[in-house]
Amino acid sequence: MKTVYVVKVGGNIIDDELKFAAFLCEFSELPSPKLLIHGGGKLATQLASRLGHPTKIISGRRVTDEETLKIAIMVYAGWINKTITAKLQAFNCKAIGISGADGRCIPSVKRRPEPLDYGFVGDPLLSEVDVSFFSALFGAGLVPVISPITADESGQLLNTNADTVASVLASAMSKAYHVKLVYCFEEKGVLKNKHDKLSVIPKIDSKYYEILKSENIVAEGMIPKLDNAFQARQNGVGSVIITNGSGLLNLTKTNYHAGTTID
Amino acid sequence: MKTVYVVKVGGNIIDDELKFAAFLCEFSELPSPKLLIHGGGKLATQLASRLGHPTKIISGRRVTDEETLKIAIMVYAGWINKTITAKLQAFNCKAIGISGADGRCIPSVKRRPEPLDYGFVGDPLLSEVDVSFFSALFGAGLVPVISPITADESGQLLNTNADTVASVLASAMSKAYHVKLVYCFEEKGVLKNKHDKLSVIPKIDSKYYEILKSENIVAEGMIPKLDNAFQARQNGVGSVIITNGSGLLNLTKTNYHAGTTID
């Protein structure tokens, strides 16, 4: 089976212009086939604030009313997606910027409003991901850049968690490819001590994960990210790594270890 | 040669929710391969106004400063492009929403600042349009929906006239396909008397066009549209028609005449 890199880049890297340019440069040199899923960062919140629209967060997740959805689509699928695409092309990487709604490649359902109503939020349907769509793009020499917007059957656009999109997409692709899933965020890996940037945990298995959670070493935003990472492993994704943006190319080397491996 | 429909839909149809839904329904039933290029309508101006950013127009064209470019990308490549894509899918049309920057499919150059500086505005390069990119998408059963954003060689995103994108794209594709280019706008065709909606001119050739201009029958916004239409004909596009959105399917019938044919 061919190896495909499924890389997710988070908001904190996107928000830092220099870090982000370095990341895109590294990504452009990664062997193909590959794809990039991007988050949103602070830009959607900033635009909402300029428009005088309050951002509502419940349990760390944005509540997406109609206006917030429109802002998310404009910022994620418009501004960030096209900016990444054009920058990658300047690095000779033939990027095509899409969302999970395009070609119905990542169909989703609107989340049920109980117990909490998150509004226009989509949960991607793993069994309905169209792997042949991505294979066709790879076949044309293209590198998909995917914004975390999806649509349901009725054509309703939905805001979707980018870590979840990456996990679901990597899982679906693992039936046809050897998938290396990489979550890039602002730290070198999952930290044992959040005040020590070098205290990267090299490997986490599900037993150790329970210990880390019980000892409150991983908490808040890291928990959904790690849940998505473990879900991908359970779905058959060959390799799942959490690391920072720089050093992405090291992942192509054998016997080289970087970041935190999820096992 | 295979027939391909290159359809451009304008802002006045996009701004009218009911007309637009009817248009997308008709478009979804048009035989494939086909593609849709959309304009922007009032939404970009509305967003600019909400953000307190003044819109500057010179000779009927928007001046695109950095903030206006960002707004255009968010509205055209984000909101409008994804809304159209998701709606088409609900009509069982496997749309993929892209811009001219994606896959470097429609490379452009930034317009020179003399005699008037329009800012971040791109002029598409006909000889560099990547027809094989579109053929690959058609081959995967996809229907490209294209927002009028392009990029230059350096990865600078540029606001681009949607009528021009349609003309250039149709021209490039006419080397590999029998192209039917359709400009859809709010009238049934080019009107002889703008107060009589039924005074559609059935056919305009270049000689008649000069007469219509000299008699001020076509003026203002119609001139760049007709210039683009004639340019496409001169570049080898088989058929160029200007008409309204409803009745798009009539164009597939032989011996049926609708709108204004550019000859």
Side-chain angles (χ1 to χ4, degrees):
Chain A
M1 282 204 286
K2 246 187 186 165
T3 294
V4 62
Y5 286 91
V6 174
V7 180
K8 191 258 163 174
V9 62
N12 284 318
I13 296 176
I14 294 173
D15 289 335
D16 182 325
E17 203 174 331
L18 277 182
K19 265 192 198 164
F20 195 39
F23 167 81
L24 291 177
C25 180
E26 291 252 341
F27 178 80
S28 71
E29 291 180 28
L30 211 59
S32 289
K34 62 188 168 188
L35 56 83
L36 181 62
I37 297 135
H38 62 85
K42 293 181 192 134
L43 289 163
T45 311
Q46 281 168 358
L47 181 61
S49 145
R50 281 187 65 192
L51 291 170
H53 190 76
T55 296
K56 202 171 158 190
I57 309 267
I58 300 181
S59 313
R61 294 205 173 189
R62 192 189 304 270
V63 176
T64 308
D65 59 15
E66 213 173 325
E67 180 76 3
T68 304
L69 176 68
K70 196 168 174 177
I71 291 168
I73 293 167
M74 291 198 297
V75 171
Y76 304 159
W79 177 246
I80 298 177
N81 190 263
K82 296 310 156 192
T83 302
I84 293 177
T85 298
K87 278 193 179 148
L88 282 176
Q89 280 159 13
F91 290 129
N92 281 318
C93 172
K94 209 174 166 190
I96 178 170
I98 53 169
S99 74
D102 293 296
R104 275 191 71 68
C105 62
I106 309 170
S108 68
V109 284
K110 188 169 182 284
R111 192 173 300 163
R112 291 171 60 89
E114 308 88 25
L116 287 168
D117 188 357
Y118 288 105
F120 292 101
V121 167
D123 290 315
L125 297 164
L126 171 55
S127 63
E128 291 190 24
V129 171
D130 186 356
V131 176
S132 70
F133 169 87
F134 293 99
S135 299
L137 297 186
F138 294 153
L142 296 164
V143 176
V145 175
I146 304 158
S147 65
I149 300 295
T150 58
D152 71 9
E153 217 175 12
S154 76
Q156 173 63 54
L157 290 164
L158 297 165
N159 197 3
T160 309
N161 181 278
D163 285 344
T164 306
V165 169
S167 174
V168 167
L169 190 47
S171 299
M173 297 194 84
S174 68
K175 311 284 178 275
Y177 296 90
H178 177 72
V179 177
K180 294 193 178 204
L181 172 59
V182 189
Y183 283 102
C184 291
F185 76 144
E186 65 276 21
E187 306 291 357
K188 281 184 190 296
V190 181
L191 302 181
K192 192 143 190 183
N193 171 2
K194 66 178 179 182
H195 304 294
D196 177 4
K197 301 273 180 206
L198 297 176
S199 66
V200 174
I201 305 170
K203 199 181 209 172
I204 305 177
D205 61 15
S206 48
K207 265 191 189 167
Y208 189 34
Y209 182 36
E210 292 309 317
I211 297 168
L212 290 170
K213 279 194 286 191
S214 70
E215 291 178 357
N216 217 21
I217 290 169
V218 301
E220 294 167 12
M222 271 313 285
I223 292 176
K225 189 182 289 290
L226 281 165
D227 284 348
N228 276 309
F230 275 104
Q231 193 61 59
R233 276 295 284 154
Q234 280 158 28
N235 290 336
V237 174
S239 153
V240 181
I241 288 166
I242 298 181
T243 186
N244 62 356
S246 64
L248 197 58
L249 285 176
N250 286 330
L251 298 174
T252 62
K253 296 175 188 161
T254 45
N255 299 321
Y256 184 93
H257 195 272
T260 301
T261 297
I262 304 303
D263 202 24
Chain B
M1 283 205 285
K2 244 186 188 168
T3 295
V4 63
Y5 286 91
V6 174
V7 180
K8 191 261 164 173
V9 62
N12 284 318
I13 295 175
I14 294 173
D15 288 335
D16 182 325
E17 204 174 329
L18 276 182
K19 265 191 199 165
F20 195 37
F23 167 81
L24 291 176
C25 179
E26 291 252 342
F27 177 80
S28 71
E29 291 180 28
L30 212 58
S32 289
K34 62 187 168 188
L35 56 82
L36 180 63
I37 297 133
H38 61 85
K42 292 180 193 135
L43 289 163
T45 312
Q46 280 168 358
L47 181 60
S49 144
R50 281 187 65 191
L51 290 170
H53 190 76
T55 296
K56 202 172 158 189
I57 308 266
I58 300 182
S59 313
R61 294 204 174 190
R62 191 189 306 269
V63 176
T64 307
D65 59 15
E66 214 173 325
E67 180 77 3
T68 304
L69 177 67
K70 196 169 175 176
I71 290 167
I73 294 167
M74 291 198 297
V75 171
Y76 303 161
W79 176 247
I80 297 177
N81 190 261
K82 297 310 157 192
T83 302
I84 293 176
T85 299
K87 278 196 178 146
L88 283 176
Q89 280 160 15
F91 289 129
N92 281 317
C93 173
K94 209 174 167 191
I96 177 171
I98 54 170
S99 75
D102 294 296
R104 277 192 68 69
C105 62
I106 309 170
S108 69
V109 285
K110 187 169 183 284
R111 192 173 301 163
R112 293 171 59 90
E114 308 88 24
L116 286 167
D117 188 356
Y118 287 105
F120 293 101
V121 166
D123 289 315
L125 297 163
L126 171 55
S127 64
E128 292 189 24
V129 171
D130 186 356
V131 176
S132 70
F133 169 88
F134 293 98
S135 299
L137 297 185
F138 294 154
L142 295 164
V143 176
V145 174
I146 303 157
S147 66
I149 300 294
T150 59
D152 70 10
E153 216 175 13
S154 76
Q156 172 63 55
L157 291 164
L158 296 165
N159 197 3
T160 309
N161 181 278
D163 285 344
T164 306
V165 169
S167 174
V168 167
L169 189 48
S171 299
M173 298 194 84
S174 68
K175 312 285 177 274
Y177 296 89
H178 177 73
V179 177
K180 294 194 178 202
L181 172 60
V182 189
Y183 283 102
C184 290
F185 76 144
E186 66 275 24
E187 305 293 356
K188 281 184 190 297
V190 181
L191 301 182
K192 190 141 194 187
N193 171 1
K194 66 178 178 181
H195 305 293
D196 177 4
K197 302 272 180 204
L198 297 176
S199 66
V200 174
I201 305 170
K203 199 180 208 175
I204 305 177
D205 61 16
S206 47
K207 265 192 188 167
Y208 189 35
Y209 182 36
E210 293 309 317
I211 297 168
L212 291 171
K213 279 194 286 190
S214 70
E215 291 179 358
N216 219 21
I217 290 169
V218 301
E220 294 166 12
M222 270 314 286
I223 291 176
K225 189 181 288 292
L226 279 166
D227 283 348
N228 276 309
F230 275 104
Q231 193 61 59
R233 275 296 284 156
Q234 279 158 28
N235 290 335
V237 173
S239 152
V240 182
I241 288 166
I242 299 180
T243 186
N244 61 356
S246 64
L248 197 57
L249 285 176
N250 286 330
L251 298 173
T252 62
K253 296 175 188 163
T254 44
N255 300 321
Y256 185 93
H257 195 272
T260 300
T261 297
I262 304 302
D263 202 23

